[in-house]
Amino acid sequence: MTVLDRPELNEECDMSEDSRTRVLLVDDHPLVRGSLQRVLENSGEFEVVGQAADGDAAVLMARDLRPDAVIMDVIMPGKGGVEACREIVEFLPDARVLMLSASTDDDTVITAVAAGAAGYVVKDASLEDLLEAVRDVAMGRVRIPLPVLRRAAAVADRQPKPVHEGNQHLLTEREREVLTMFASGSSYADIAEAQGNSPSTVRNTVYRIQDKLGAGTRQGLVAWAVRNGLLDG
């Protein structure tokens, strides 16, 4: 059963409105947006703060609403999801964009990851997989399999970028550890627990690593980690 086959949930949830994850939905089909909104909001964990039918509207709404997560279709008329994703993460570095795709083999998905998407989910995914994916990216995890990361890194290699490749001496041992865990999909909270720090300390460390490497996005950091062998162990 897919995410669009289950418009409602019957589970009880006592989460307050303030604790819900704020989501922006972007898809050119109103029925898809409506179904996704019902699935997310009936879970009790998410609040849909806006809907956009194309990439241009998505960029404007993301700047205005500053959602915790953006669920965006890859292919749309006019400005597509990849270009919109790139613009959103450039303006809002902490934005978490989850791409919707009809196929995991779609090269456009790879390009979207290289553009800054935090993950993707196929449109025929189960309800549970969708909710888990949104939950993960909203918490700061990178929901991208390593093979896809490697392909995305190869795409990024063909694009102009200021990232200082190979300069691993720029990072301290602790920073390398943090980057390795972050690129492996760990959230700030996960890393903080493992290292005995606070999530805010880990967040500041990631910011510092990003500045040192000249990475424009968090996913740029992940691509750097892949290219420089941090995930090969």
Side-chain angles (χ1 to χ4, degrees), residues 15-16 23 28 33 38 50 57 67 72 74 79 81-82 86 107 125 127-128 138-139 149 182 187-188 216 230 233:
M15 295 182 66
S16 68
V23 179
D28 56 314
R33 297 197 307 271
R38 287 191 294 273
M72 178 138 51
V74 171
K79 180 177 292 182
V82 173
R86 182 178 294 109
D107 287 339
L127 170 65
E128 291 73 19
M139 291 178 63
L149 278 175
F182 179 78
S187 68
Y188 294 145
L230 269 63

Side-chain angles (χ1 to χ4, degrees), residues 143-189:
R143 192 181 169 90
I144 306 167
L146 184 56
V148 177
L149 278 175
R150 294 190 186 282
R151 292 179 62 191
V155 171
D157 280 339
R158 298 193 294 269
Q159 300 173 351
K161 54 188 180 300
V163 179
H164 306 303
E165 299 299 338
N167 291 342
Q168 298 196 35
H169 65 275
L170 292 172
L171 304 181
T172 67
E173 182 177 352
R174 176 57 63 88
E175 288 170 344
R176 284 170 54 84
E177 292 175 358
V178 168
L179 178 54
T180 300
M181 294 182 68
F182 179 78
S184 298
S186 297
S187 68
Y188 294 145

Side-chain angles (χ1 to χ4, degrees), residues 5 26 56 70 73 92 146 166 194 205 210 227:
D5 294 328
V26 186
D56 286 309
V70 180
D73 193 10
L92 301 171
L146 184 56
T205 300
Q210 189 173 359
R227 284 192 292 268

Side-chain angles (χ1 to χ4, degrees), residues 182-202:
F182 179 78
S184 298
S186 297
S187 68
Y188 294 145
D190 296 332
I191 300 171
E193 182 177 0
Q195 296 194 336
N197 291 321
S198 67
S200 61
T201 297
V202 174

Side-chain angles (χ1 to χ4, degrees), residues 8 18 27 51 53-54 117 138 148 150 163 184 222 225:
E8 296 185 0
D18 290 342
D27 194 291
Q51 295 187 19
D54 56 59
V148 177
R150 294 190 186 282
V163 179
S184 298
V222 175

Side-chain angles (χ1 to χ4, degrees), residues 19-40:
S19 66
R20 290 186 297 173
T21 299
R22 303 172 70 253
V23 179
L24 171 64
L25 295 177
V26 186
D27 194 291
D28 56 314
H29 295 97
L31 289 177
V32 172
R33 297 197 307 271
S35 295
L36 289 173
Q37 179 167 359
R38 287 191 294 273
V39 166
L40 292 169

